[in-house]
Amino acid sequence: MKFLFTLIFCGLSYLTTAQISGQFYTDGFGVPVIDPFGNVDFDGNFSVNLPTDNSVRELIFEVYNIKFKIVNIPKDLYKINLGIIELPGRKSIDLRQYELLSAEQKNDYYPVYHYANLLGYEHKALLDKDYILLTCNGVQKQIKEFSFDWKTNMITIYANKLTFCN
């Protein structure tokens, strides 16, 4: 009887979850990501199981220093594979380009270090691309309908903009 209960419970648990999966990429490589449920590997692959009771309407992932927030996750979500998600990074410039800027323009950038070595500068409020690139089933799509809050380092996108892979 205990085995039957466990089997039924596991079966019902499977039916009452929704799943969002995909892989985060930056500069052509899979990247480690932090997701709210810890279901991720070193190459940026993630799979998040959500309760279908709609208690989770948004997810926030962290890829390097930029957060990626998916909002308005639909109640009737069953399974979404987002494919490969390539997020824009901050607009960066090298040391020579920085030296050519005016003092006022330099205030818009902050230094980027690797250990003690200065690598260059990143813009506080600008991204290097105006789109998120999704690739699935051999098809690429640029998604430009998102917002970026530079103070919180957060890219926000509505879930319905990400469903072209399904």
Side-chain angles (χ1 to χ4, degrees):
M1 184 70 171
K2 184 177 179 182
F3 173 74
L4 182 60
F5 175 75
T6 303
L7 184 62
I8 291 171
F9 180 75
C10 290
L12 291 175
S13 296
Y14 176 76
L15 293 174
T16 61
T17 59
Q19 185 182 71
I20 296 177
S21 61
Q23 183 180 23
F24 283 102
Y25 259 63
T26 299
D27 297 326
F29 296 99
V31 294
V33 61
I34 299 169
D35 79 46
F37 303 100
N39 303 315
V40 67
D41 68 15
F42 187 73
D43 292 325
N45 294 300
F46 67 91
S47 178
V48 178
N49 292 321
L50 304 173
T52 55
D53 65 359
N54 199 29
S55 60
V56 176
R57 294 290 316 266
E58 62 184 44
L59 290 173
I60 299 175
F61 299 91
E62 188 167 340
V63 181
Y64 290 128
N65 66 344
I66 293 183
K67 296 176 184 104
F68 181 65
K69 182 177 182 181
I70 303 171
V71 296
N72 289 353
I73 297 171
K75 283 184 180 182
D76 60 351
L77 171 73
Y78 173 65
K79 187 173 185 176
I80 295 177
N81 180 354
L82 302 176
I84 295 172
I85 307 158
E86 189 161 340
L87 298 176
R90 290 190 178 274
K91 180 182 177 185
S92 61
I93 58 175
D94 62 31
L95 304 174
R96 282 183 237 132
Q97 292 169 312
Y98 182 78
E99 293 304 320
L100 297 174
L101 298 176
S102 69
E104 184 177 329
Q105 290 172 319
K106 287 180 181 180
N107 289 331
D108 292 334
Y109 288 85
Y110 62 89
V112 176
Y113 292 94
H114 183 266
Y115 296 103
N117 297 324
L118 178 62
L119 298 178
Y121 294 85
E122 289 186 348
H123 199 282
K124 293 176 184 174
L126 297 178
L127 297 174
D128 64 353
K129 298 178 191 113
D130 65 346
Y131 60 87
I132 296 168
L133 184 64
L134 288 185
T135 304
C136 60
N137 303 322
V139 178
Q140 290 187 335
K141 181 176 182 181
Q142 292 181 0
I143 299 179
K144 295 187 176 195
E145 299 88 12
F146 67 91
S147 63
F148 177 62
D149 181 345
W150 66 273
K151 292 179 182 176
T152 61
N153 294 323
M154 188 168 316
I155 292 172
T156 302
I157 190 165
Y158 288 93
N160 66 347
K161 301 294 180 188
L162 299 172
T163 58
F164 100 100
C165 290
N166 294 324

